[in-house]
Amino acid sequence: MPNMQVKKTAMPTQSAEERARNFDEVTLGYTETDAINEATRCLHCKNRPCVSGCPVAIDIPDFIAEVAVGNFDGAYDVISKASSLPAVCGRVCPQETQCEAKCVRGIKGEPVGIGRLERFVADRHNEKKHEIKKPVPNGHSVAVVGSGPSGLTCAGELARMGYAVTVFEALHTAGGVLVYGIPEFRLPKSIVSLEIENLRALGVKIETNMVIGRVLTVDDLLADGFECVFIGTGVGLPKFMNIPGESCNGVFSANEFLTRVNLMGAYRDGADTPVMHAKHVAVVGGGNVAMDAARCALRLGADDVTIVYRRGEEELPARREEVEHAKEEGVAFRLLTNPVEIIGDEKRAVRAIRCVKMELGEPDASGRRRPVEVKGSEFELPVDCVIMALGTSPNPLIKSTTDGLDTERWGGIVADENGATSRPAVYAGGDAVTGAATVILAMGAGKSAARAIDEYIRNK
Ligand SMILES: Cc1cc2nc3c(=O)[nH]c(=O)nc-3n(C[C@H](O)[C@H](O)[C@H](O)COP(=O)(O)OP(=O)(O)OC[C@H]3O[C@@H](n4cnc5c(N)ncnc54)[C@H](O)[C@@H]3O)c2cc1C
């Protein structure tokens, strides 16, 4: 008989007061008893709707069945057939709109905590040291540009097939957004490092501080003997609002702010690239990036942090859990509010942000109701720092240095469902192709491209 408990087994979590002032992980993970209890809530539906909600089609009921009987290694084996970064995905995947949204238990209660179980299984696996066997080399080599989830997945898949893979990463640390964007309190960096060490153990070479398009071009890589190149360069170029005062001191893009905090460790004493410890912070935007920036600002010691978002609560694009966590920690929300000017003092340091109130009109092209300005509703919010989290687009460097590589008007690389671009032997995937999306979709793209690259090289 399945366990008919209506709610998910609670996730042990740091209290809101405690965690709002530290960078340690917010959620602490299931114990063995919690995991077995949660796993027994699964009904093992014959038509497996949860699997269709998973972008990489993990055999969810099968891995949960192994957890229910305490066979955690068996559960890991099932997951790892489909996903190469389960400890990451168990923490950051938007399960509530994917696998868990399809869970039958969600109809009359809460769905099975699939993400929490995935995380438990991966963490249990990572507690032990595992010997990684180097695959037999097949004599072919591939270059991967960018070390985010798409590049790392593509590299891992190809390395397991015997390819000699070199990853070229612009930054000094591999991991992409997993290390420079998503904060330590949501995704500890040690988890990403472990995945990268596992790739190195498979034989993947990772060359950091290599900006492709500057140090070498994609064509140089092909001329140097790489038979294919995979481009997984993400969307690192921040957008601004182009409103007066945006060049004042104390205005940051969320990218810069999060990179300083997460990658450069600016929250620790003595960091090489410190960051402003502002007291009154406005974060403009309503996605995961905005929530991460707001929660980091709070942890850096701000007295108040306010999310300023032009639509309403229902339209907030961030994961529900992240919005709830931000609210519990004390982040304030000014919804239906749009900034029109940033006001500086005599030294051009931010003093306030001028905003207007909005109301929702007819749906726009995205299907969401268009925010319309309420006349005469201007007001000032006194702040000393503004963080713009308005979205990002691809850096144009690869496009401008790779002849014949077709791109969309917004800068995304044009690629088919297997990652093939307009240039033979050049593949692409992840955010650089789709625009800002999710870790699991980037991984899926890296995996499909690896299969296509293998086919291309074998048929050459
Ligand atoms: C703050 C933040 C929070 C997020 N939270 C979530 C979340 O909770 N859940 C979720 O699923 N998704 C989340 N996302 C989105 C997710 O992280 C991305 O969709 C995913 O990382 C995309 O992977 P990618 O491999 O395409 O690119 P990226 O992770 O962006 O990696 C691209 C890499 O390429 C490198 N690069 C760029 N140009 C060059 C070049 N010319 N030469 C060499 N290297 C280059 C970059 O330095 C970077 O390391 C978040 C994103 C951000 C920014």
Side-chain angles (χ1 to χ4, degrees):
M1 268 292 284
N3 162 0
M4 292 314 286
Q5 179 187 311
V6 175
K7 290 198 163 229
K8 285 181 186 175
T9 308
M11 175 65 120
T13 303
Q14 278 196 73
S15 76
E17 304 77 62
E18 192 188 345
R19 70 181 193 242
R21 298 294 171 194
N22 71 49
F23 275 82
D24 299 339
E25 196 169 12
V26 168
T27 51
L28 305 172
Y30 275 167
T31 61
E32 206 173 296
T33 315
D34 293 335
I36 293 176
N37 187 56
E38 186 59 18
T40 55
R41 293 184 65 231
C42 177
L43 301 177
H44 303 285
C45 311
K46 276 217 172 81
N47 57 347
R48 306 153 75 84
C50 51
V51 179
S52 67
C54 172
V56 294
I58 294 175
D59 276 331
I60 294 166
D62 289 8
F63 101 73
I64 292 183
E66 299 296 353
V67 177
V69 296
N71 181 9
F72 308 129
D73 290 338
Y76 186 84
D77 291 342
V78 175
I79 298 177
S80 61
K81 278 189 199 136
S83 168
S84 51
L85 300 172
V88 173
C89 293
R91 285 172 167 82
V92 304
C93 259
Q95 292 99 7
E96 65 280 7
T97 56
Q98 299 179 344
C99 52
E100 293 183 16
K102 307 265 175 158
C103 175
V104 171
R105 292 298 307 264
I107 299 170
K108 285 195 180 159
E110 288 187 355
V112 174
I114 300 169
R116 294 174 182 185
L117 289 172
E118 182 185 18
R119 166 186 169 162
F120 168 80
V121 170
D123 287 356
R124 278 296 287 245
H125 175 85
N126 288 343
E127 275 167 13
K128 293 181 240 158
K129 195 137 182 64
H130 300 272
E131 208 191 312
I132 295 179
K133 268 204 201 140
K134 274 209 176 136
V136 180
N138 67 5
H140 299 283
S141 62
V142 176
V144 169
V145 184
S147 66
S150 66
L152 293 180
T153 306
C154 185
E157 293 287 319
L158 287 168
R160 279 182 212 98
M161 295 178 208
Y163 286 89
V165 184
T166 306
V167 177
F168 295 92
E169 167 55 49
L171 295 173
H172 64 280
T173 306
V177 170
L178 306 181
V179 293
Y180 81 73
I182 303 181
E184 177 77 17
F185 56 82
R186 281 214 292 132
L187 177 63
K189 302 298 156 252
S190 54
I191 288 168
V192 186
S193 323
L194 188 74
E195 300 296 352
I196 288 164
E197 281 324 304
N198 288 345
L199 281 186
R200 285 206 167 97
L202 270 178
V204 172
K205 276 195 209 151
I206 301 183
E207 296 209 15
T208 51
N209 300 312
M210 289 293 284
V211 184
I212 301 304
R214 281 276 178 276
V215 187
L216 291 171
T217 62
V218 167
D219 286 293
D220 290 335
L221 295 174
L222 292 169
D224 282 354
F226 291 106
E227 290 158 82
C228 274
V229 176
F230 173 79
I231 305 171
T233 42
V235 282
L237 196 66
K239 289 184 189 150
F240 284 91
M241 293 191 79
N242 296 321
I243 55 174
E246 249 179 336
S247 59
C248 282
N249 292 327
V251 181
F252 294 87
S253 70
N255 262 45
E256 177 186 348
F257 180 75
L258 289 171
T259 303
R260 280 174 183 256
V261 175
N262 297 320
L263 184 65
M264 309 303 292
Y267 60 90
R268 291 186 217 108
D269 287 340
D272 287 343
T273 57
V275 73
M276 179 181 180
H277 287 216
K279 286 292 164 204
H280 310 285
V281 180
V283 179
V284 184
N288 283 326
V289 182
M291 299 308 137
D292 284 342
R295 296 171 73 195
C296 281
L298 206 61
R299 284 160 171 77
L300 288 175
D303 291 339
D304 53 82
V305 179
T306 308
I307 293 275
V308 178
Y309 180 58
R310 64 195 185 126
R311 299 182 199 250
E313 172 99 28
E314 275 184 24
E315 291 81 19
L316 279 169
R319 290 187 65 194
R320 188 63 16 211
E321 183 181 82
E322 303 312 325
V323 174
E324 292 311 324
H325 280 164
K327 283 185 180 169
E328 287 165 13
E329 289 166 12
V331 173
F333 283 69
R334 288 257 188 179
L335 302 174
L336 291 168
T337 302
N338 202 30
V340 288
E341 183 181 358
I342 293 164
I343 305 165
D345 62 13
E346 62 289 349
K347 291 188 176 151
R348 289 195 56 72
V350 174
R351 169 175 82 65
I353 180 165
R354 180 170 294 136
C355 303
V356 285
K357 296 248 167 78
M358 310 294 279
E359 58 190 8
L360 293 180
E362 294 301 309
D364 63 13
S366 71
R368 295 180 302 172
R369 292 174 66 196
R370 186 195 303 275
V372 184
E373 189 178 322
V374 177
K375 290 268 172 294
S377 63
E378 278 196 12
F379 68 97
E380 274 183 25
L381 192 65
V383 290
D384 52 5
C385 172
V386 178
I387 301 171
M388 294 292 184
L390 303 160
T392 45
S393 59
N395 187 308
L397 187 58
I398 293 279
K399 172 192 162 189
S400 62
T401 55
T402 315
D403 282 342
L405 185 70
D406 287 352
T407 54
E408 306 279 1
R409 270 181 58 192
W410 55 271
I413 299 172
V414 175
D416 70 11
E417 68 282 6
N418 298 317
T421 69
S422 52
R423 281 281 307 264
V426 178
Y427 290 75
D431 284 4
V433 169
T434 57
T438 59
V439 170
I440 192 86
L441 288 173
M443 281 173 53
K447 199 169 176 173
S448 311
R451 285 197 207 111
I453 288 171
D454 176 50
E455 204 174 310
Y456 173 87
I457 292 179
R458 279 192 291 112
N459 294 332
K460 228 176 17 170

